[in-house]
Amino acid sequence: MAAIELAGVTKRYGDVTALHDLDLQVQSGEIYGFLGPNGAGKSTTIDILLDFVRPTSGTAEVLGYDAHEDSLAIRQRIGVLPEGFHVYERLTARQHLQFAIESKDADDDPDALLERVGIPDAADRKAGGFSKGMQQRLALAIALVGDPDLLILDEPSTGLDPNGAREMRDIITEEADRGATVFFSSHILEQVEAVCDRVGILQAGELVAEDTIRGLRDAAGTGSTLTVTVDELTPGVVEAVEDVPGVTSVDTDRDVLTVTTEGASKTDVLDAVEAAGGEVVDFATREASLDDVFAAYTNDRDDEVSA
């Protein structure tokens, strides 16, 4: 069953179309990364799922419920970490959690939740004195109340240091292992790449790509990069590597070749170097990062729009 299903969703604000005929399915139990540049429509999509705004046309379902008609039932089964979460300054962390636990009729232990998100010593401190990172951890603890079937996390790493971001990733993975679905947007692509089963890229209100990260790499043709250090770099070695099928570019710096490929194997490149009389001293490979993939899809789309 799909945990999230949008069908033909369009949202207009006056003359501005934030979402255009959006179809999106997130399957139960998966970790889905939702990406897009500023203004792409990510926040509008999340707002529709949470019934903060209504679509102009189309339908939205969450956990099999209509996002508008059954919004109260949905809220009992989901956890939300909103972007720009604001604390109640005069309430302690424990009081924040007790309120969330009571509202869901859950039986969670506030101290256990604060321990899990890394701020156990802040239970009885007023949240008005919390740093941005501590506020974000508290927001995550609130989202975890009641063992939700679906977590919707909007920029969950905001304000977190590297250790906090790693702990956030661990919690996301633990929740998926428990059977929860995780849907999160982030501009920190390394976070997405580290945990997501699938990724969707939104651009100008349309889903321009959706697949595993491996599938997106292959479809975008971003390829991989091979760096080869040789004992002596000659024009013959460079020419031989350029002639390897699947090699798209070759850059040189002293005795180092940087080879970008789309389909050429590492072995083919190294064999070409040696066949041309070069001796391979060292080599390393790097697959296209999610940053590269994201840029390929969004930049291509920008070019189409401006053409």
Coordinates of all heavy atoms in Angstrom, one line a residue, residues 52-149:
F52 N -2.7 21.7 5.4 CA -2.6 23.1 5.7 C -3.1 24.0 4.6 O -3.5 25.1 4.8 CB -1.1 23.5 6.0 CG -0.6 22.8 7.3 CD1 0.8 22.7 7.4 CD2 -1.4 22.4 8.3 CE1 1.3 22.1 8.6 CE2 -0.9 21.9 9.4 CZ 0.4 21.7 9.6
V53 N -3.0 23.4 3.4 CA -3.6 24.1 2.2 C -4.3 23.0 1.4 O -4.0 21.8 1.5 CB -2.5 24.8 1.3 CG1 -1.8 25.9 2.1 CG2 -1.6 23.8 0.7
R54 N -5.3 23.4 0.6 CA -6.0 22.5 -0.3 C -5.6 22.6 -1.7 O -5.3 23.7 -2.2 CB -7.5 22.8 -0.2 CG -8.1 23.0 1.2 CD -8.4 21.7 1.9 NE -8.7 21.9 3.3 CZ -9.9 22.4 3.7 NH1 -10.8 22.8 2.9 NH2 -10.1 22.5 5.1
P55 N -5.5 21.5 -2.4 CA -5.1 21.5 -3.8 C -6.2 22.2 -4.6 O -7.4 22.1 -4.3 CB -4.9 20.0 -4.2 CG -5.8 19.3 -3.2 CD -5.7 20.1 -1.9
T56 N -5.8 22.9 -5.7 CA -6.8 23.4 -6.6 C -7.5 22.3 -7.4 O -8.7 22.4 -7.6 CB -6.0 24.4 -7.6 OG1 -5.3 25.3 -6.9 CG2 -7.0 25.0 -8.5
S57 N -6.8 21.3 -7.7 CA -7.4 20.1 -8.3 C -6.5 18.9 -8.0 O -5.4 19.0 -7.5 CB -7.5 20.3 -9.8 OG -6.2 20.5 -10.4
G58 N -7.1 17.7 -8.2 CA -6.3 16.5 -7.9 C -6.7 16.0 -6.5 O -7.4 16.6 -5.7
T59 N -6.1 14.8 -6.1 CA -6.4 14.2 -4.8 C -5.1 13.9 -4.1 O -4.1 13.6 -4.7 CB -7.2 12.9 -5.0 OG1 -6.4 12.0 -5.8 CG2 -8.5 13.2 -5.7
A60 N -5.2 13.9 -2.8 CA -4.0 13.5 -1.9 C -4.5 12.6 -0.8 O -5.5 12.8 -0.1 CB -3.4 14.8 -1.3
E61 N -3.8 11.4 -0.7 CA -4.1 10.5 0.3 C -2.8 10.2 1.1 O -1.7 10.1 0.6 CB -4.6 9.1 -0.3 CG -5.9 9.2 -1.0 CD -6.5 7.9 -1.4 OE1 -5.7 6.9 -1.3 OE2 -7.6 7.9 -1.9
V62 N -3.0 10.0 2.4 CA -2.0 9.7 3.4 C -2.4 8.5 4.2 O -3.5 8.5 4.8 CB -1.7 10.9 4.3 CG1 -0.6 10.5 5.3 CG2 -1.3 12.1 3.5
L63 N -1.6 7.4 4.1 CA -1.9 6.2 4.8 C -3.3 5.7 4.5 O -4.0 5.1 5.3 CB -1.8 6.4 6.3 CG -0.4 6.8 6.8 CD1 -0.5 7.1 8.3 CD2 0.6 5.7 6.5
G64 N -3.7 5.9 3.2 CA -5.0 5.4 2.8 C -6.2 6.3 3.1 O -7.3 6.1 2.7
Y65 N -5.9 7.4 3.8 CA -7.0 8.4 4.1 C -6.9 9.6 3.2 O -5.8 10.0 2.7 CB -6.8 8.9 5.5 CG -6.9 7.9 6.6 CD1 -5.8 7.4 7.3 CD2 -8.2 7.5 7.1 CE1 -6.0 6.5 8.3 CE2 -8.4 6.6 8.1 CZ -7.3 6.1 8.7 OH -7.4 5.2 9.8
D66 N -8.0 10.2 3.0 CA -8.1 11.5 2.2 C -7.4 12.6 3.1 O -7.8 12.8 4.3 CB -9.5 11.9 1.9 CG -9.6 13.1 1.1 OD1 -9.6 14.2 1.7 OD2 -9.7 13.1 -0.1
A67 N -6.5 13.3 2.5 CA -5.7 14.3 3.3 C -6.5 15.4 3.9 O -6.2 15.9 5.0 CB -4.6 14.9 2.4
H68 N -7.6 15.7 3.3 CA -8.5 16.7 3.8 C -9.6 16.1 4.7 O -9.8 16.5 5.8 CB -9.1 17.5 2.7 CG -10.2 18.5 3.1 ND1 -10.1 19.4 4.1 CD2 -11.5 18.6 2.6 CE1 -11.2 20.0 4.3 NE2 -12.1 19.6 3.4
E69 N -10.4 15.2 4.1 CA -11.5 14.7 4.8 C -11.2 13.9 6.1 O -11.9 13.9 7.1 CB -12.3 13.7 3.9 CG -12.9 14.4 2.7 CD -14.0 15.4 3.0 OE1 -14.6 15.3 4.0 OE2 -14.2 16.3 2.1
D70 N -10.0 13.3 6.1 CA -9.6 12.5 7.3 C -8.3 13.0 8.0 O -7.5 12.2 8.5 CB -9.3 11.0 6.8 CG -10.5 10.4 6.1 OD1 -11.6 10.5 6.7 OD2 -10.4 10.0 5.0
S71 N -8.2 14.3 8.0 CA -6.9 14.9 8.5 C -6.7 14.6 10.0 O -5.6 14.4 10.4 CB -6.9 16.4 8.3 OG -8.0 17.0 9.0
L72 N -7.8 14.5 10.8 CA -7.6 14.2 12.2 C -7.1 12.8 12.4 O -6.2 12.5 13.2 CB -8.9 14.4 13.0 CG -9.4 15.9 13.1 CD1 -10.7 16.0 13.8 CD2 -8.3 16.7 13.8
A73 N -7.7 11.8 11.7 CA -7.2 10.5 11.8 C -5.8 10.3 11.3 O -5.0 9.6 11.9 CB -8.1 9.6 10.9
I74 N -5.4 11.1 10.3 CA -4.0 11.0 9.8 C -3.0 11.5 10.9 O -2.0 10.9 11.1 CB -3.9 11.9 8.5 CG1 -4.6 11.2 7.4 CG2 -2.4 12.1 8.1 CD1 -4.8 12.0 6.1
R75 N -3.4 12.6 11.5 CA -2.5 13.2 12.5 C -2.2 12.3 13.7 O -1.1 12.4 14.3 CB -3.1 14.5 13.0 CG -3.1 15.6 12.0 CD -3.8 16.9 12.5 NE -4.0 17.8 11.4 CZ -3.1 18.7 10.9 NH1 -1.9 18.7 11.4 NH2 -3.4 19.5 10.0
Q76 N -3.1 11.4 14.0 CA -2.8 10.4 15.0 C -1.8 9.4 14.7 O -1.2 8.7 15.5 CB -4.1 9.7 15.4 CG -5.1 10.6 16.1 CD -4.6 11.2 17.4 OE1 -4.1 10.5 18.3 NE2 -4.7 12.5 17.6
R77 N -1.5 9.2 13.4 CA -0.7 8.1 12.9 C 0.6 8.6 12.2 O 1.4 7.8 11.7 CB -1.4 7.3 11.9 CG -2.6 6.5 12.5 CD -3.3 5.6 11.5 NE -2.4 4.7 10.8 CZ -2.7 4.0 9.8 NH1 -3.9 4.0 9.3 NH2 -1.8 3.1 9.2
I78 N 0.8 9.9 12.2 CA 2.0 10.5 11.6 C 2.8 11.3 12.6 O 2.3 11.7 13.7 CB 1.7 11.3 10.4 CG1 1.0 12.6 10.8 CG2 0.9 10.5 9.4 CD1 0.9 13.6 9.6
G79 N 4.1 11.5 12.3 CA 5.0 12.4 13.1 C 5.5 13.4 12.1 O 5.9 13.1 11.0
V80 N 5.5 14.7 12.5 CA 5.9 15.7 11.6 C 7.0 16.6 12.3 O 6.9 17.0 13.5 CB 4.7 16.7 11.3 CG1 5.2 17.8 10.3 CG2 3.6 15.9 10.7
L81 N 8.1 16.8 11.6 CA 9.1 17.8 11.9 C 9.1 18.9 10.9 O 9.6 18.7 9.8 CB 10.5 17.1 12.0 CG 11.6 18.0 12.7 CD1 12.8 17.1 13.0 CD2 12.1 19.1 11.9
P82 N 8.4 20.0 11.2 CA 8.2 21.0 10.2 C 9.5 21.9 10.1 O 10.3 22.1 11.0 CB 7.1 21.9 10.8 CG 7.2 21.7 12.3 CD 7.7 20.3 12.5
E83 N 9.7 22.5 8.9 CA 10.7 23.5 8.8 C 10.4 24.7 9.6 O 9.2 25.1 9.6 CB 10.9 23.8 7.3 CG 12.1 24.8 7.1 CD 12.3 25.1 5.6 OE1 11.3 24.9 4.8 OE2 13.4 25.6 5.2
G84 N 11.4 25.3 10.2 CA 11.1 26.5 11.0 C 10.3 26.2 12.3 O 9.5 27.0 12.7
F85 N 10.5 25.1 12.9 CA 9.8 24.7 14.1 C 10.1 25.7 15.2 O 11.3 26.2 15.4 CB 10.3 23.3 14.6 CG 9.9 22.9 16.0 CD1 8.6 22.5 16.2 CD2 10.8 23.0 17.1 CE1 8.2 22.2 17.5 CE2 10.4 22.6 18.3 CZ 9.1 22.2 18.6
H86 N 9.1 26.2 15.9 CA 9.2 27.1 17.0 C 8.8 26.5 18.3 O 7.7 25.9 18.4 CB 8.4 28.4 16.7 CG 8.8 29.2 15.5 ND1 10.0 29.9 15.5 CD2 8.2 29.3 14.3 CE1 10.1 30.5 14.3 NE2 9.1 30.1 13.6
V87 N 9.6 26.7 19.3 CA 9.3 26.1 20.7 C 8.4 27.1 21.4 O 8.3 28.3 21.1 CB 10.6 25.9 21.5 CG1 11.5 24.9 20.8 CG2 11.4 27.2 21.7
Y88 N 7.8 26.6 22.5 CA 7.1 27.5 23.4 C 8.2 27.8 24.5 O 8.6 26.9 25.3 CB 5.9 26.7 24.0 CG 4.8 26.4 23.1 CD1 4.7 25.2 22.4 CD2 3.9 27.4 22.8 CE1 3.7 24.9 21.5 CE2 2.9 27.1 21.8 CZ 2.8 25.9 21.2 OH 1.8 25.7 20.3
E89 N 8.6 29.1 24.5 CA 9.8 29.4 25.3 C 9.6 29.1 26.8 O 10.6 28.9 27.4 CB 10.1 30.9 25.1 CG 10.4 31.2 23.6 CD 10.9 32.7 23.4 OE1 10.9 33.4 24.4 OE2 11.4 33.0 22.3
R90 N 8.5 29.2 27.3 CA 8.3 29.1 28.8 C 8.1 27.6 29.2 O 8.0 27.3 30.4 CB 7.1 29.9 29.3 CG 7.4 31.4 29.1 CD 6.3 32.2 29.7 NE 6.5 33.7 29.6 CZ 5.8 34.6 30.1 NH1 4.7 34.3 30.7 NH2 6.1 35.9 29.9
L91 N 7.9 26.7 28.2 CA 7.8 25.3 28.6 C 9.1 24.6 28.5 O 10.0 24.9 27.7 CB 6.8 24.7 27.6 CG 5.3 25.2 27.6 CD1 4.5 24.4 26.6 CD2 4.7 25.2 29.0
T92 N 9.2 23.6 29.4 CA 10.4 22.7 29.3 C 10.3 21.7 28.2 O 9.2 21.5 27.6 CB 10.6 22.0 30.7 OG1 9.5 21.0 30.8 CG2 10.6 22.9 31.8
A93 N 11.4 21.0 27.9 CA 11.4 20.0 26.9 C 10.4 18.9 27.3 O 9.7 18.4 26.5 CB 12.8 19.4 26.7
R94 N 10.4 18.5 28.6 CA 9.5 17.5 29.1 C 8.0 17.9 28.9 O 7.2 17.1 28.4 CB 9.8 17.2 30.6 CG 9.0 16.0 31.1 CD 9.0 16.0 32.6 NE 10.4 16.1 33.1 CZ 11.2 15.1 33.2 NH1 10.8 13.9 32.8 NH2 12.4 15.2 33.7
Q95 N 7.7 19.2 29.1 CA 6.4 19.6 29.0 C 5.9 19.6 27.5 O 4.8 19.3 27.2 CB 6.2 21.0 29.6 CG 6.2 21.1 31.1 CD 6.3 22.5 31.6 OE1 7.0 23.3 31.1 NE2 5.7 22.7 32.8
H96 N 6.9 20.0 26.6 CA 6.6 19.9 25.2 C 6.2 18.4 24.8 O 5.2 18.2 24.1 CB 7.8 20.2 24.3 CG 7.9 21.7 24.1 ND1 8.5 22.5 25.0 CD2 7.6 22.5 23.1 CE1 8.6 23.8 24.6 NE2 8.0 23.8 23.4
L97 N 6.9 17.5 25.3 CA 6.7 16.1 25.0 C 5.4 15.5 25.7 O 4.7 14.8 25.1 CB 7.9 15.2 25.4 CG 9.1 15.4 24.4 CD1 10.3 14.8 25.0 CD2 8.7 14.7 23.1
Q98 N 5.2 16.0 26.9 CA 4.0 15.5 27.6 C 2.7 16.0 26.9 O 1.7 15.2 26.8 CB 4.0 16.0 29.0 CG 5.0 15.3 29.9 CD 5.1 15.9 31.3 OE1 4.9 17.1 31.5 NE2 5.5 15.1 32.3
F99 N 2.8 17.2 26.3 CA 1.6 17.7 25.6 C 1.4 16.8 24.3 O 0.3 16.5 24.0 CB 1.9 19.1 25.2 CG 0.8 19.7 24.4 CD1 -0.4 20.2 25.0 CD2 0.9 19.9 23.0 CE1 -1.4 20.7 24.2 CE2 -0.1 20.4 22.2 CZ -1.3 20.8 22.8
A100 N 2.5 16.5 23.6 CA 2.4 15.7 22.4 C 1.9 14.3 22.7 O 1.1 13.7 22.0 CB 3.7 15.7 21.7
I101 N 2.4 13.7 23.8 CA 2.0 12.4 24.2 C 0.5 12.4 24.6 O -0.2 11.4 24.1 CB 2.8 11.9 25.4 CG1 4.3 11.7 24.9 CG2 2.3 10.6 26.0 CD1 5.3 11.5 26.1
E102 N 0.0 13.4 25.3 CA -1.4 13.4 25.7 C -2.3 13.6 24.4 O -3.3 13.0 24.3 CB -1.6 14.5 26.7 CG -1.0 14.3 28.0 CD -1.1 15.5 28.9 OE1 -1.7 16.5 28.6 OE2 -0.5 15.4 30.0
S103 N -1.8 14.4 23.5 CA -2.6 14.7 22.3 C -2.8 13.5 21.4 O -3.8 13.4 20.7 CB -2.0 15.9 21.5 OG -0.8 15.5 20.9
K104 N -1.8 12.6 21.5 CA -1.9 11.3 20.7 C -2.4 10.2 21.5 O -2.5 9.0 21.0 CB -0.5 11.0 20.1 CG -0.2 11.8 18.9 CD 1.0 11.2 18.2 CE 1.2 11.8 16.8 NZ 2.3 11.2 16.0
D105 N -2.7 10.4 22.8 CA -3.1 9.3 23.7 C -2.1 8.2 23.7 O -2.4 7.0 23.6 CB -4.5 8.8 23.3 CG -5.1 8.0 24.4 OD1 -4.8 8.2 25.6 OD2 -6.0 7.1 24.1
A106 N -0.8 8.6 23.7 CA 0.3 7.6 23.7 C 0.8 7.4 25.1 O 0.4 8.1 26.1 CB 1.4 8.1 22.8
D107 N 1.8 6.5 25.2 CA 2.3 6.2 26.5 C 3.8 6.3 26.6 O 4.5 5.6 27.3 CB 1.9 4.8 27.0 CG 2.3 3.7 26.1 OD1 2.9 4.0 25.1 OD2 2.0 2.5 26.4
D108 N 4.4 7.1 25.7 CA 5.8 7.3 25.6 C 6.4 7.8 26.9 O 5.7 8.6 27.6 CB 6.2 8.2 24.4 CG 5.8 7.6 23.1 OD1 4.6 7.7 22.8 OD2 6.6 7.1 22.3
D109 N 7.7 7.5 27.1 CA 8.4 8.1 28.2 C 9.2 9.3 27.7 O 10.1 9.2 26.9 CB 9.4 7.1 28.8 CG 10.3 7.6 29.9 OD1 10.1 8.8 30.3 OD2 11.1 6.8 30.4
P110 N 8.9 10.5 28.2 CA 9.6 11.7 27.7 C 11.1 11.6 27.8 O 11.8 12.1 27.0 CB 9.0 12.9 28.6 CG 7.7 12.4 29.0 CD 7.8 10.9 29.2
D111 N 11.6 11.1 29.0 CA 13.0 11.0 29.2 C 13.7 10.1 28.2 O 14.8 10.3 27.7 CB 13.3 10.5 30.6 CG 12.9 11.5 31.6 OD1 13.3 12.7 31.5 OD2 12.2 11.2 32.6
A112 N 13.0 9.0 27.8 CA 13.5 8.0 26.8 C 13.6 8.7 25.5 O 14.6 8.5 24.7 CB 12.7 6.8 26.8
L113 N 12.6 9.5 25.1 CA 12.6 10.2 23.8 C 13.8 11.2 23.8 O 14.5 11.3 22.8 CB 11.3 10.9 23.6 CG 10.1 10.0 23.2 CD1 8.8 10.7 23.3 CD2 10.3 9.4 21.8
L114 N 14.0 12.0 24.9 CA 15.0 13.0 24.9 C 16.4 12.3 24.9 O 17.3 12.8 24.3 CB 14.9 13.9 26.2 CG 13.6 14.8 26.1 CD1 13.4 15.4 27.5 CD2 13.8 15.8 25.0
E115 N 16.5 11.1 25.5 CA 17.7 10.4 25.5 C 18.0 10.0 24.0 O 19.2 10.0 23.5 CB 17.6 9.1 26.4 CG 18.8 8.2 26.3 CD 20.0 8.7 27.1 OE1 19.8 9.3 28.2 OE2 21.2 8.6 26.6
R116 N 17.0 9.5 23.3 CA 17.2 9.0 22.0 C 17.6 10.1 21.0 O 18.4 9.9 20.1 CB 15.9 8.4 21.5 CG 16.0 7.7 20.1 CD 14.7 7.1 19.7 NE 14.9 6.4 18.4 CZ 14.0 6.0 17.6 NH1 12.7 6.2 18.0 NH2 14.2 5.4 16.5
V117 N 17.2 11.4 21.2 CA 17.6 12.4 20.3 C 18.8 13.2 20.8 O 19.2 14.2 20.2 CB 16.4 13.4 20.1 CG1 15.2 12.7 19.4 CG2 16.0 14.1 21.3
G118 N 19.3 12.8 21.9 CA 20.6 13.3 22.4 C 20.6 14.5 23.3 O 21.6 15.2 23.4
I119 N 19.4 14.8 23.9 CA 19.4 16.0 24.9 C 18.7 15.5 26.2 O 17.8 16.2 26.7 CB 18.7 17.2 24.3 CG1 17.3 16.8 23.7 CG2 19.5 17.9 23.2 CD1 16.4 18.0 23.3
P120 N 19.2 14.5 26.8 CA 18.6 14.0 28.0 C 18.7 15.0 29.2 O 17.9 15.0 30.1 CB 19.4 12.7 28.3 CG 20.7 12.9 27.7 CD 20.4 13.6 26.4
D121 N 19.8 15.8 29.2 CA 20.0 16.7 30.3 C 19.1 17.9 30.2 O 19.1 18.8 31.1 CB 21.4 17.1 30.4 CG 22.3 15.9 30.7 OD1 21.8 14.9 31.3 OD2 23.5 15.9 30.3
A122 N 18.4 18.1 29.1 CA 17.6 19.3 28.9 C 16.1 19.1 29.3 O 15.3 20.0 29.0 CB 17.7 19.7 27.5
A123 N 15.8 18.0 29.9 CA 14.4 17.7 30.1 C 13.6 18.8 30.9 O 12.5 19.1 30.6 CB 14.2 16.3 30.9
D124 N 14.3 19.3 31.9 CA 13.6 20.3 32.7 C 14.0 21.7 32.5 O 13.8 22.6 33.3 CB 13.7 19.9 34.2 CG 13.1 18.6 34.5 OD1 11.9 18.4 34.1 OD2 13.7 17.7 35.1
R125 N 14.7 22.0 31.4 CA 15.1 23.3 31.0 C 14.0 23.9 30.1 O 13.4 23.3 29.3 CB 16.4 23.3 30.3 CG 17.6 23.0 31.2 CD 18.9 22.8 30.3 NE 19.1 24.0 29.4 CZ 20.0 24.0 28.5 NH1 20.8 23.0 28.3 NH2 20.2 25.1 27.7
K126 N 13.8 25.2 30.3 CA 12.9 25.9 29.4 C 13.4 26.0 28.0 O 14.6 26.4 27.8 CB 12.5 27.3 30.0 CG 11.7 27.2 31.3 CD 11.3 28.6 31.8 CE 10.4 28.5 33.0 NZ 10.0 29.8 33.5
A127 N 12.6 25.7 27.1 CA 13.1 25.6 25.7 C 13.5 27.0 25.1 O 14.1 27.0 24.0 CB 12.0 25.0 24.8
G128 N 13.1 28.1 25.7 CA 13.4 29.4 25.2 C 14.9 29.6 25.2 O 15.4 30.5 24.4
G129 N 15.7 28.9 26.0 CA 17.1 29.0 26.0 C 17.9 28.0 25.2 O 19.1 27.9 25.2
F130 N 17.1 27.2 24.4 CA 17.7 26.2 23.6 C 18.4 26.8 22.4 O 17.9 27.7 21.8 CB 16.7 25.2 23.1 CG 16.3 24.2 24.1 CD1 16.6 24.3 25.5 CD2 15.4 23.1 23.8 CE1 16.2 23.4 26.4 CE2 15.0 22.2 24.7 CZ 15.4 22.3 26.0
S131 N 19.5 26.2 22.0 CA 20.1 26.5 20.7 C 19.3 26.0 19.5 O 18.3 25.2 19.8 CB 21.5 25.9 20.6 OG 21.4 24.5 20.5
K132 N 19.6 26.4 18.3 CA 18.8 26.0 17.2 C 18.9 24.4 17.0 O 17.9 23.8 16.8 CB 19.3 26.6 15.9 CG 18.6 26.2 14.6 CD 17.1 26.4 14.7 CE 16.4 26.0 13.4 NZ 14.9 26.1 13.5
G133 N 20.1 23.9 17.3 CA 20.2 22.4 17.2 C 19.4 21.7 18.2 O 18.8 20.7 17.9
M134 N 19.4 22.2 19.4 CA 18.6 21.6 20.5 C 17.1 21.7 20.2 O 16.3 20.7 20.4 CB 18.9 22.2 21.8 CG 20.3 22.0 22.4 SD 20.6 22.8 23.9 CE 19.5 22.0 25.0
Q135 N 16.7 22.8 19.6 CA 15.3 22.9 19.2 C 14.9 21.9 18.2 O 13.8 21.3 18.2 CB 15.0 24.3 18.7 CG 15.0 25.4 19.8 CD 14.7 26.8 19.2 OE1 13.9 26.9 18.2 NE2 15.2 27.8 19.8
Q136 N 15.8 21.7 17.2 CA 15.6 20.7 16.2 C 15.5 19.3 16.8 O 14.7 18.5 16.3 CB 16.7 20.8 15.1 CG 16.4 20.1 13.8 CD 15.4 20.9 13.0 OE1 14.8 21.9 13.4 NE2 15.2 20.5 11.8
R137 N 16.4 19.0 17.7 CA 16.3 17.7 18.4 C 15.0 17.5 19.1 O 14.4 16.4 19.1 CB 17.5 17.5 19.3 CG 18.9 17.4 18.6 CD 20.0 17.4 19.6 NE 21.3 17.4 19.0 CZ 22.1 16.3 18.9 NH1 21.6 15.1 19.3 NH2 23.3 16.4 18.3
L138 N 14.6 18.5 19.8 CA 13.3 18.5 20.5 C 12.1 18.2 19.5 O 11.2 17.4 19.8 CB 13.0 19.7 21.3 CG 11.7 19.9 22.0 CD1 11.5 18.7 23.0 CD2 11.6 21.2 22.7
A139 N 12.2 18.9 18.4 CA 11.2 18.7 17.4 C 11.1 17.3 16.9 O 10.1 16.7 16.6 CB 11.4 19.7 16.2
L140 N 12.3 16.7 16.7 CA 12.4 15.3 16.3 C 11.8 14.4 17.3 O 11.0 13.5 17.0 CB 13.8 14.9 16.0 CG 14.0 13.4 15.6 CD1 13.2 13.1 14.3 CD2 15.5 13.1 15.4
A141 N 12.1 14.7 18.6 CA 11.5 13.8 19.7 C 10.0 13.9 19.7 O 9.3 12.9 19.8 CB 12.0 14.3 21.0
I142 N 9.4 15.1 19.4 CA 8.0 15.2 19.3 C 7.4 14.4 18.2 O 6.4 13.8 18.3 CB 7.6 16.7 19.2 CG1 8.0 17.5 20.5 CG2 6.1 16.9 18.9 CD1 7.8 19.0 20.5
A143 N 8.1 14.5 17.0 CA 7.7 13.7 15.8 C 7.7 12.2 16.1 O 6.9 11.5 15.5 CB 8.6 14.1 14.7
L144 N 8.5 11.7 17.0 CA 8.6 10.3 17.2 C 7.6 9.8 18.2 O 7.4 8.6 18.4 CB 10.0 10.0 17.8 CG 11.2 10.2 16.8 CD1 12.5 10.0 17.6 CD2 11.1 9.3 15.6
V145 N 6.8 10.7 18.8 CA 5.8 10.3 19.8 C 4.8 9.3 19.2 O 4.3 9.6 18.1 CB 5.1 11.5 20.4 CG1 3.8 11.1 21.2 CG2 6.0 12.3 21.3
G146 N 4.5 8.2 19.9 CA 3.5 7.3 19.4 C 3.9 6.3 18.3 O 3.0 5.7 17.7
D147 N 5.2 6.2 18.1 CA 5.6 5.3 17.0 C 4.8 5.5 15.7 O 4.1 4.6 15.3 CB 5.5 3.8 17.5 CG 6.5 3.5 18.6 OD1 7.6 4.1 18.7 OD2 6.2 2.5 19.4
P148 N 5.0 6.6 15.1 CA 4.1 6.9 13.9 C 4.4 6.0 12.8 O 5.5 5.5 12.6 CB 4.6 8.4 13.6 CG 5.9 8.5 14.2 CD 5.9 7.7 15.4
D149 N 3.3 5.8 12.0 CA 3.5 4.9 10.8 C 4.2 5.7 9.7 O 4.8 5.1 8.8 CB 2.1 4.5 10.3 CG 1.4 3.6 11.3 OD1 2.0 2.7 11.8 OD2 0.2 3.8 11.5

